[in-house]
Amino acid sequence: QLQLQESGPGLVKPSETLSLTCTVSGGSISSASDYWGWIRQPPGKGLEWIGSVYYSGSIYYNPSLMSRVTISADTSKNQFFLKLRSVTAADTAVYYCTRIPTWIPLPDPWGQGTLVTVSS
Amino acid sequence: DIQMTQSPSSLSASVGDRVTITCRASQGIGNDLGWYQQKPGKAPKRLIYGASSLQSGVPSRFSGSGSGTEFTLTISSLQPEDFATYYCLQHNSYPPLTFGGGTKVEIK
């Protein structure tokens, strides 16, 4: 059964870089059948797709975040990563990692999510 | 980019009620739409894909319909475990993916 688990600091200072890791088990991020993505949800608000990475190295970003985001992957560790630079309080959110099947790009399953708070 | 407008943003209903949630796309997306259920403190769960196909394991009281620009999620008889927030998600223009704003279903 495919499982995803986010990890990383729960507190980041303003202007610094948020860094998260998603570890995938029960499946391979080298699969041609899937993208691997990040989605976030500010407290009490809706969901926002951040970006996705494909095994070939193709990476797609939300245009609204593109200038600050880097997504990458390490197939040897079956992990993919999120870096968000120059964070502000508006980046405080629960960050989810997820699989996005190529045959129908609707995220499933999701990790449990990790809350990242931006505060000094 | 395609915008998704979901309505209502919240509703109150009783157990056994029929509930309908609407999602409108700013341009036609065919049937490239899914519906998700999110309970407090949990990750969203996919309920519907292809606008009307029920995800395996999801109760049959959930149904989806629509195509083009207007879509609905219907719960035929609301159960206690259905009180949650529901989101639509379009993937016609992927990337990006675009979510609706969400509908919180509360107990009346």
Side-chain angles (χ1 to χ4, degrees):
Chain A
Q1 182 181 356
L2 184 69
Q3 293 186 313
L4 300 92
Q5 178 68 58
E6 306 89 352
S7 60
L11 181 65
V12 181
K13 290 182 168 56
S15 80
E16 295 191 345
T17 297
L18 178 161
S19 296
L20 294 176
T21 298
C22 183
T23 300
V24 177
S25 59
S28 172
I29 68 167
S30 298
S31 167
S33 301
D34 302 304
Y35 301 93
W36 303 91
W38 291 96
I39 292 168
R40 71 178 183 177
Q41 184 172 38
K45 296 189 178 180
L47 298 157
E48 179 181 38
W49 173 75
I50 299 170
S52 306
V53 59
Y54 192 49
Y55 84 106
S56 63
S58 296
I59 303 172
Y60 309 96
Y61 296 125
N62 187 322
S64 68
L65 296 169
M66 184 181 297
S67 63
R68 298 193 291 131
V69 172
T70 300
I71 294 174
S72 59
D74 184 338
T75 55
S76 68
K77 295 183 178 179
N78 220 31
Q79 295 176 323
F80 61 103
F81 311 98
L82 171 69
K83 290 189 184 297
L84 180 64
R85 296 175 293 277
S86 304
V87 298
T88 70
D91 295 309
T92 294
V94 175
Y95 287 77
Y96 296 100
C97 61
T98 182
R99 177 187 65 176
I100 303 173
T102 57
W103 74 277
I104 189 159
L106 291 171
D108 182 69
W110 300 49
Q112 66 183 26
T114 187
L115 174 63
V116 180
T117 301
V118 178
S119 175
S120 56
Chain B
D1 288 356
I2 298 173
Q3 308 301 317
M4 304 302 295
T5 302
Q6 201 172 324
S7 61
S9 56
S10 65
L11 64 90
S12 295
S14 300
V15 172
D17 283 355
R18 182 181 182 89
V19 169
T20 299
I21 298 167
T22 298
C23 203
R24 289 188 173 86
S26 59
Q27 63 190 72
I29 59 170
N31 66 347
D32 294 337
L33 182 117
W35 289 96
Y36 288 78
Q37 177 193 66
Q38 186 180 32
K39 296 184 178 179
K42 299 294 186 182
K45 170 188 171 183
R46 193 170 73 187
L47 300 177
I48 301 279
Y49 62 93
S52 60
S53 296
L54 199 64
Q55 183 77 20
S56 175
V58 173
S60 58
R61 62 181 179 273
F62 290 93
S63 64
S65 65
S67 66
T69 61
E70 186 154 336
F71 302 85
T72 60
L73 173 71
T74 299
I75 309 172
S76 60
S77 177
L78 197 65
Q79 299 301 300
E81 60 268 30
D82 301 336
F83 291 95
T85 301
Y86 294 85
Y87 294 92
C88 61
L89 172 61
Q90 74 82 22
H91 62 87
N92 179 265
S93 63
Y94 176 70
L97 295 172
T98 313
F99 289 91
T103 297
K104 186 173 184 179
V105 177
E106 298 177 300
I107 301 172
K108 186 182 248 182

